[in-house]
Amino acid sequence: MPQDIDTTLTSAKNKAAEIETHPFEPVLPSNATIMMMGTFPPTADKWAMSFHYPNFYNDMWRIYGRVFFDDADYFRVGDEKRFDPERIRNFMFERGIASCPTVKQAIRETGNASDKNLTVVTPVDLDSILPQVPKVATLFTTGGKATEVLLGLLDEPIAKSKHPKTNQSMDYPYQWQDSNQTNMVNDLTLYRLPSTSRAYPLSLDKKVAAYKAFFERMGKL
């Protein structure tokens, strides 16, 4: 094999195998009662802002806009192709909605944010997160991978066939991993909501309906 081709392949392989750390800090309002948990953002060249769900073509913040304000562009900055992270953050603090990724470190096996090709290196440390949001009683995921990661943190393994399907929920009996924790873990519930990626085969209207039903049930609407 010619040396330049070999070097290119080696470089691509190394880049694909690079361990990345999640770039955004969790949003943890002390009054939060529910916590949104996704996986990993796209590469920085796809960001429209430095905040959770940063890709302008991911519909998360359009869905929030429609659910809470009947306006898909509520969090958008004018006609620009980006959303306003401060407006989103302020809204989450006002409504008591936390956001924390399920993955701290990961490898993009194919160089993109596809959950299918994401190898989780370090999952979220719920021992450090939950005490910061002591009122949270419900975790909600935005896809299958996040659900899988969270269920992998439980002491008792749960067969994949028993994982909640989209728009379903289950008890989430998390136990502290740190034996020095003295406070009790809340009786947690885990909900699985649809992915807001446009690659997920569900119409925007149906995603909005699913999120609206969830937030109504959680007393946020």
Side-chain angles (χ1 to χ4, degrees), residues 56 72-84 87:
F56 181 71
D73 290 329
Y74 183 82
F75 294 107
R76 186 173 176 177
V77 179
D79 293 329
E80 298 179 36
K81 291 184 177 180
R82 64 188 181 95
F83 298 103
D84 184 340
R87 191 172 195 182

Coordinates of all heavy atoms in Angstrom, one line a residue, residues 56 72-84 87:
F56 N -28.8 23.2 14.6 CA -30.0 23.9 14.3 C -31.0 23.0 13.7 O -32.2 23.3 13.7 CB -29.6 25.0 13.3 CG -30.8 25.9 12.9 CD1 -31.4 26.8 13.8 CD2 -31.3 25.8 11.6 CE1 -32.5 27.5 13.4 CE2 -32.4 26.6 11.2 CZ -33.0 27.4 12.1
A72 N -42.8 27.4 17.1 CA -41.6 26.6 16.9 C -40.3 27.5 16.9 O -39.2 27.0 17.2 CB -41.7 25.9 15.6
D73 N -40.5 28.8 16.6 CA -39.3 29.7 16.6 C -39.1 30.5 17.8 O -38.4 31.5 17.9 CB -39.5 30.6 15.4 CG -39.3 29.9 14.0 OD1 -38.5 28.9 14.0 OD2 -39.9 30.3 13.1
Y74 N -39.8 30.1 18.9 CA -39.7 30.9 20.1 C -38.3 31.1 20.7 O -38.0 32.1 21.1 CB -40.6 30.2 21.2 CG -40.6 31.0 22.5 CD1 -41.5 32.1 22.7 CD2 -39.8 30.7 23.6 CE1 -41.6 32.8 23.8 CE2 -39.8 31.4 24.8 CZ -40.7 32.5 24.9 OH -40.7 33.2 26.0
F75 N -37.5 30.0 20.6 CA -36.1 30.1 21.1 C -35.1 30.5 20.0 O -33.9 30.5 20.2 CB -35.7 28.8 21.7 CG -36.5 28.5 23.0 CD1 -37.4 27.5 23.0 CD2 -36.3 29.2 24.1 CE1 -38.2 27.2 24.1 CE2 -37.0 28.9 25.3 CZ -37.9 27.9 25.3
R76 N -35.6 30.7 18.8 CA -34.7 31.0 17.7 C -34.3 32.5 17.8 O -35.0 33.4 18.3 CB -35.4 30.8 16.3 CG -34.6 31.0 15.1 CD -35.3 30.5 13.8 NE -34.5 30.8 12.6 CZ -34.9 30.4 11.4 NH1 -36.1 29.8 11.2 NH2 -34.1 30.7 10.4
V77 N -33.1 32.8 17.3 CA -32.6 34.2 17.2 C -33.0 34.8 15.9 O -32.3 34.6 14.9 CB -31.0 34.2 17.4 CG1 -30.5 35.6 17.4 CG2 -30.6 33.5 18.7
G78 N -34.1 35.6 15.9 CA -34.5 36.2 14.6 C -34.7 35.2 13.5 O -35.2 34.1 13.6
D79 N -34.1 35.6 12.4 CA -34.1 34.7 11.2 C -32.8 33.9 11.1 O -32.6 33.2 10.1 CB -34.2 35.6 9.9 CG -35.6 36.2 9.9 OD1 -36.6 35.6 10.4 OD2 -35.7 37.3 9.3
E80 N -31.9 34.0 12.1 CA -30.7 33.3 12.0 C -30.9 31.8 12.3 O -31.9 31.4 12.9 CB -29.7 33.8 13.1 CG -29.3 35.3 12.9 CD -28.4 35.8 14.0 OE1 -27.6 35.0 14.5 OE2 -28.6 37.0 14.4
K81 N -29.9 31.0 11.8 CA -30.0 29.6 11.9 C -29.3 29.1 13.3 O -28.4 28.4 13.3 CB -29.4 28.9 10.7 CG -30.2 29.1 9.5 CD -29.6 28.3 8.3 CE -30.4 28.4 7.1 NZ -29.9 27.6 5.9
R82 N -29.9 29.6 14.3 CA -29.4 29.3 15.7 C -30.5 29.6 16.7 O -31.4 30.4 16.4 CB -28.1 30.0 16.0 CG -28.2 31.5 16.1 CD -26.8 32.1 16.3 NE -26.9 33.6 16.4 CZ -26.9 34.2 17.5 NH1 -26.9 33.6 18.7 NH2 -27.0 35.6 17.6
F83 N -30.3 29.0 17.9 CA -31.2 29.3 19.0 C -30.5 30.0 20.0 O -29.2 30.1 20.0 CB -31.8 27.9 19.5 CG -32.6 27.2 18.5 CD1 -32.0 26.0 17.9 CD2 -33.9 27.5 18.3 CE1 -32.8 25.3 17.0 CE2 -34.6 26.8 17.3 CZ -34.1 25.7 16.7
D84 N -31.2 30.6 21.0 CA -30.6 31.5 22.0 C -30.4 30.6 23.3 O -31.4 30.3 24.0 CB -31.6 32.6 22.3 CG -31.0 33.6 23.3 OD1 -30.1 33.3 24.0 OD2 -31.5 34.8 23.3
R87 N -31.8 32.2 26.6 CA -33.2 32.1 26.7 C -33.7 30.7 27.1 O -34.6 30.6 27.9 CB -33.8 32.5 25.4 CG -35.3 32.8 25.5 CD -35.9 33.4 24.2 NE -37.2 34.0 24.4 CZ -37.9 34.6 23.4 NH1 -37.4 34.6 22.2 NH2 -39.1 35.1 23.7

